[in-house]
Amino acid sequence: MAGLTSGNEVFEVEEKRNVEVRKEEHSDSSRVGSTFIKYAAYLVIFFGVLWFLINYILPKF
């Protein structure tokens, strides 16, 4: 509660907050799918960098 004064009067302000907490539980199949996509993207980036090094950087030496 916060008190606001205006002259000789005191006004009480009451704040109510309604907070709703929702947890979304992922099923095992969606978690496995998203993890597979993440690591597949890591592998594509890794092999892309490796291909670039072999084809463009390594021949210059």
Side-chain angles (χ1 to χ4, degrees):
M1 296 194 132
L4 300 176
T5 58
S6 173
N8 292 333
E9 301 175 15
V10 176
F11 296 102
E12 296 283 332
V13 177
E14 183 177 336
E15 293 182 20
K16 290 185 180 180
R17 295 182 183 183
N18 293 327
V19 178
E20 182 177 329
V21 177
R22 266 192 286 177
K23 285 188 177 181
E24 292 185 18
E25 302 218 3
H26 296 285
S27 64
D28 289 335
S29 63
S30 69
R31 184 169 287 166
V32 169
S34 64
T35 303
F36 173 76
I37 291 170
K38 180 174 68 172
Y39 286 114
Y42 290 161
L43 286 174
V44 167
I45 292 170
F46 173 74
F47 285 118
V49 169
L50 192 63
W51 177 84
F52 175 78
L53 289 174
I54 290 171
N55 285 321
Y56 292 104
I57 304 299
L58 203 61
K60 293 185 179 182
F61 289 108

